[in-house]
Amino acid sequence: MSIADAAGAYRAAEEAAGERVARHWPEGHGLRGWITTVDHKRIGRRYMVTAAVFFTLAGIEALVMRTQLTLPEGKVVSPGVYDQLFSLHGTAMIFFFATPMLFGFGNFLLPLMLGTRDMAFPRFNAFGYWVFAAAGLFMFSSLLFGVAPNAGWFAYVPLSGARYTPDLNLDVYSLGLLFLGISTTGSGINFIATALKLRAPGMTLSRVPVFVWALVVTSFMVVFALPPLNLANAMLFLDRRFGTKFFVPTGGGDALLWQHLFWLFGHPDVYIIVLPALGIVSAIVPTFSRRPIAAYPVIVLATVATGIISFGVWVHHMFAVGLPQLAMTFFSAASIVITIPAGIQIFSWLGTMLLGRVVLAVPMLWALGFILVFVLGGVTGVMFAIVPFDQQSTDSYFVVAHFHYVLFGGAVFPIIGGVFYWWPKFTGRTTSVRAGLWSFWLVFAGFNLTFFPMHIAGLLGMPRRVYTFSPGLGWDAWNLLSTAGAYLLAVGLLVTLSTLLYSLRRGAPAPPDPWGGETLEWATASPPPTHDFAVIPTVYSLHPLWDQRTLDSFHEESRSPLHVQADGHDVLRTTELDAEPQLGVEMPEDTPVPFVAAFGLLIAFTSLLLGGYLAAIAGAAVFGFSLMWWLWPRDRPGSSGGGERRGEGEGGGSAGGEREEASA
């Protein structure tokens, strides 16, 4: 039997088994279902839509700033408003768009790629989304009241202290990032647990997709990188609100402590953003090269190495503050070394394309565009690793250009490519090829016209973080070009959005695997059912959908007794290294508890901001009672009971005696 015939037979078996399994995975409808759902696919789509809204708001802020800088002595906005716009723009793009958007991809795709039915902690997953949405509302609403962050997305002290910024602007910043950090940390832990414990049988570590590896490495980085940022923001809030002296030299503090803590998070955060994006490219390139990715073990090692080395380069953001020469030499060397793993991944993609038969579909164009702009950003990154050059160009528009080539080019291009690639799976609809091509070329041209001239303006001496400039300095033409490019880029992004929205109503229905992909998410319907897989597969290859034995494993008669256990509202738990089946784990039903808990935190943080400490305690109490409700042990109606509780640690239903015996 050919692979195509086996795939067809699998889908017939899936449909027959799906009717039985679907009864245990009902999908909530209406407002109640919208609030209470714990389905990873709905949560993943919400992350992406909400992050896209924040991206749009931050993009509008960028257009206002570029309009202000079109000509010398612009008067579109005041200096104070400009400070808030550029500070909130950077904060939103880094914290409220890039990482949440990529985590949205992870929420939707990770269980599907792993061959399981949900995340390890579904309610924790829903809670993470509601906290993210609430933190974004907390941050963006500040602009309406004129108290948005106004000291840059980096909030350097002493300018961010109460002496120089006495209003609420920096309190919004510190509390908003602390609030958001709860969501980001929880999501990272959830991804790690899911990838280690819920892989399909047979999916050993050598058969895990590169995108999953990238997401897991990113999650470990989040867990270790966020504590310094959270600590810095907590100390800044205490300094501002209660008069402590953590960053005040006259009180025994140290202003440079903020920079060390911030960049100890900030530079790993560059790779927290970029690594999942690289994983998206590693999913697109093999599919449209019609061959497995080249040097899989090496690209995985490069991903892990990037995560480790990224924690040793933070000081290259501080070469101009007067640190010892020996320390700067060490961090300069580390900043050069970290380019090697990224180069390995680029050569892997190029090798895959050279050895395969490239199909220039729309997602592949975005991947190729990414490779070009990311390489250009990497070249300027190596330049900044050289201490004399960094000291000459620091705080110039050359830095702004580099930053956007690495992060916009390194994140937005793969994100849009990933959206076009998985759009049939997300929505069940296909997109227009012609409109997709227009969107790519407009964005590609607009991006380079916007940010490449900034290199030249920076080398000509234009400083960053200025709201206007005088004529006759040689910057006029370059700023005019950048503004024209920004509007062209906005048109391209608008075409992209229109293409996607149009496909929701008029796009052709998508088959399960429109691209001929290799990973397990393409085995399910488009969009996937609530339960993802009616029959949990057994994986025999790194490329399961290009492998005959894996396709044969979808037939019900091939299942072991442990597979049969996972026929209810269950997932199949496996061992960490070799993915050997252990037992079925019953998952929790839809619940409003995550929403209520996040709402309690929103009350608490808003009250802290406004100085209502009793109301903050009340919000914390709402959160505390929600946790009690969340964790209170109870049996699900109709459960067998009588055995050791086997759940997700969130008050899940009883697993019963059969699962007790199976685990033994």
Side-chain angles (χ1 to χ4, degrees), residues 27-268:
E27 183 174 3
H29 298 284
L31 179 61
R32 176 177 173 81
W34 188 77
I35 290 175
T36 62
T37 184
V38 295
D39 180 9
H40 73 95
K41 297 176 292 298
R42 297 178 73 178
I43 293 170
R45 285 191 290 257
R46 287 180 189 178
Y47 263 107
M48 288 186 278
V49 171
T50 307
V53 171
F54 294 150
F55 175 79
T56 302
L57 295 174
I60 293 171
E61 294 165 354
L63 278 180
V64 175
M65 290 187 289
R66 281 310 326 161
T67 305
Q68 165 72 15
L69 291 172
T70 303
L71 298 172
E73 299 179 347
K75 299 185 183 301
V76 176
V77 294
S78 67
V81 171
Y82 188 90
D83 281 352
Q84 293 188 37
L85 289 175
F86 96 80
S87 299
L88 188 55
H89 167 79
T91 303
M93 287 297 195
I94 295 294
F95 295 103
F96 290 92
F97 164 67
T99 300
M101 174 63 82
L102 291 162
F103 275 17
F105 276 88
N107 267 284
F108 190 100
L109 294 168
L110 189 70
L112 292 167
M113 285 187 165
L114 296 176
T116 188
R117 291 180 177 144
D118 211 331
M119 299 288 286
F121 307 115
R123 285 183 287 189
F124 200 22
N125 200 29
F127 172 71
Y129 167 74
W130 290 117
V131 169
F132 158 61
L137 178 65
F138 179 92
M139 186 71 75
F140 273 92
S141 62
S142 64
L143 191 61
L144 301 176
F145 300 99
V147 291
N150 59 354
W153 74 279
F154 37 80
Y156 283 168
V157 297
L159 294 180
S160 59
R163 178 180 176 184
Y164 297 101
T165 313
D167 295 328
L168 294 177
N169 306 70
L170 271 297
D171 295 328
V172 170
Y173 175 90
S174 57
L175 290 176
L177 294 190
L178 284 169
F179 193 9
L180 179 66
I182 298 171
S183 169
T184 310
T185 303
S187 296
I189 294 170
N190 210 353
F191 288 139
I192 293 168
T194 303
L196 289 179
K197 295 303 299 179
L198 299 186
R199 302 196 305 278
M203 187 178 282
T204 62
L205 293 182
S206 62
R207 297 171 181 166
V208 173
V210 175
F211 176 75
V212 176
W213 274 107
L215 201 61
V216 171
V217 171
T218 297
S219 299
F220 275 107
M221 294 170 68
V222 163
V223 170
F224 288 102
L226 270 179
L229 178 68
N230 292 336
L231 180 63
N233 278 304
M235 292 193 296
L236 178 62
F237 181 73
L238 291 173
D239 274 10
R240 291 177 51 83
R241 188 61 63 90
F242 299 106
T244 56
K245 307 292 183 182
F246 292 108
F247 304 119
V248 181
T250 56
D254 186 353
L256 279 185
L257 176 61
W258 169 269
Q259 290 195 39
H260 281 292
L261 291 173
F262 184 86
W263 290 117
L264 188 53
F265 157 82
H267 201 84

Side-chain angles (χ1 to χ4, degrees), residues 423-441:
W423 189 256
K425 191 60 58 179
F426 293 156
T427 66
R429 299 285 180 175
T430 58
T431 57
S432 165
V433 175
R434 179 176 295 180
L437 293 175
W438 272 104
S439 75
F440 168 74
W441 288 113

Side-chain angles (χ1 to χ4, degrees), residues 284-295:
I284 293 173
V285 168
T287 297
F288 296 102
S289 299
R290 298 295 186 253
R291 61 146 290 136
I293 195 164

Side-chain angles (χ1 to χ4, degrees), residues 477-496:
W478 305 114
N479 278 286
L480 182 61
L481 284 174
S482 289
T483 301
Y487 278 92
L488 180 60
L489 176 59
V491 170
L493 293 171
L494 187 60
V495 171
T496 304

Side-chain angles (χ1 to χ4, degrees), residues 300-652:
V300 170
L301 288 174
T303 301
V304 176
T306 299
I308 295 172
I309 299 172
S310 68
F311 282 88
V313 298
W314 82 90
V315 170
H316 88 214
H317 293 273
M318 302 171 60
F319 283 162
V321 303
L323 296 174
Q325 184 65 46
L326 180 62
M328 291 194 293
T329 301
F330 169 81
F331 285 99
S332 175
S335 300
I336 296 173
V337 168
I338 201 170
T339 63
I340 297 174
I344 289 172
Q345 299 198 50
I346 291 169
F347 281 110
S348 171
W349 301 325
L350 295 177
T352 303
M353 288 184 277
L354 288 172
L355 296 173
R357 292 179 290 109
V358 175
V359 178
L360 288 178
V362 172
M364 189 64 171
L365 279 177
W366 286 100
L368 293 173
F370 153 78
I371 292 173
L372 178 60
V373 299
F374 190 66
V375 167
L376 291 174
V379 169
T380 56
V382 173
M383 295 165 69
F384 282 116
I386 308 303
V387 176
F389 179 85
D390 180 274
Q391 291 178 334
Q392 288 295 317
S393 59
T394 191
D395 287 338
S396 74
Y397 251 79
F398 194 91
V399 181
V400 179
H402 159 73
F403 199 71
H404 284 85
Y405 263 82
V406 170
L407 289 183
F408 192 108
V412 176
F413 274 69
I415 284 170
I416 299 178
V419 168
F420 275 103
Y421 180 55
W422 282 296
W423 189 256
K425 191 60 58 179
F426 293 156
T427 66
R429 299 285 180 175
T430 58
T431 57
S432 165
V433 175
R434 179 176 295 180
L437 293 175
W438 272 104
S439 75
F440 168 74
W441 288 113
L442 286 170
V443 171
F444 185 79
F447 168 82
N448 286 286
L449 185 59
T450 301
F451 297 111
F452 191 83
M454 293 182 184
H455 292 96
I456 302 173
L459 292 176
L460 292 175
M462 182 174 177
R464 63 195 296 197
R465 309 175 197 133
V466 293
Y467 88 103
T468 190
F469 59 95
S470 301
L473 298 174
W475 309 336
D476 305 30
W478 305 114
N479 278 286
L480 182 61
L481 284 174
S482 289
T483 301
Y487 278 92
L488 180 60
L489 176 59
V491 170
L493 293 171
L494 187 60
V495 171
T496 304
L497 178 62
S498 301
T499 302
L500 298 175
L501 294 179
Y502 181 82
S503 75
L504 289 177
R505 297 183 60 87
R506 301 295 182 89
D513 188 6
W515 308 116
E518 59 175 333
T519 43
L520 286 176
E521 76 272 19
W522 300 111
T524 65
S526 297
T530 309
H531 54 273
D532 290 355
F533 298 93
V535 179
I536 303 297
T538 300
V539 176
Y540 294 96
S541 168
L542 175 61
H543 323 286
L545 292 198
W546 295 350
D547 175 67
Q548 183 75 53
R549 293 180 66 193
T550 301
L551 290 171
D552 291 341
S553 76
F554 281 103
H555 293 286
E556 289 196 88
E557 56 267 22
S558 70
R559 300 188 300 164
S560 69
L562 283 173
H563 286 68
V564 177
Q565 279 188 171
D567 268 357
H569 198 262
D570 301 69
V571 297
L572 184 63
R573 196 176 80 185
T574 55
T575 58
E576 293 85 350
L577 298 180
D578 296 326
E580 296 178 354
Q582 289 182 308
L583 75 160
V585 179
E586 193 168 1
M587 306 305 281
E589 304 284 358
D590 290 356
T591 172
V593 176
F595 176 82
V596 175
F599 182 71
L601 287 178
L602 178 61
I603 294 174
F605 277 92
T606 304
S607 301
L608 275 177
L609 175 68
L610 301 177
Y613 300 116
L614 291 179
I617 293 172
V622 171
F623 174 69
F625 281 115
S626 299
L627 288 184
M628 292 175 60
W629 183 12
W630 186 328
L631 299 172
W632 196 266
R634 53 190 175 273
D635 288 333
R636 182 178 300 160
S639 66
S640 56
E644 180 182 349
R645 180 174 297 278
R646 303 278 183 180
E648 56 157 349
E650 298 184 322

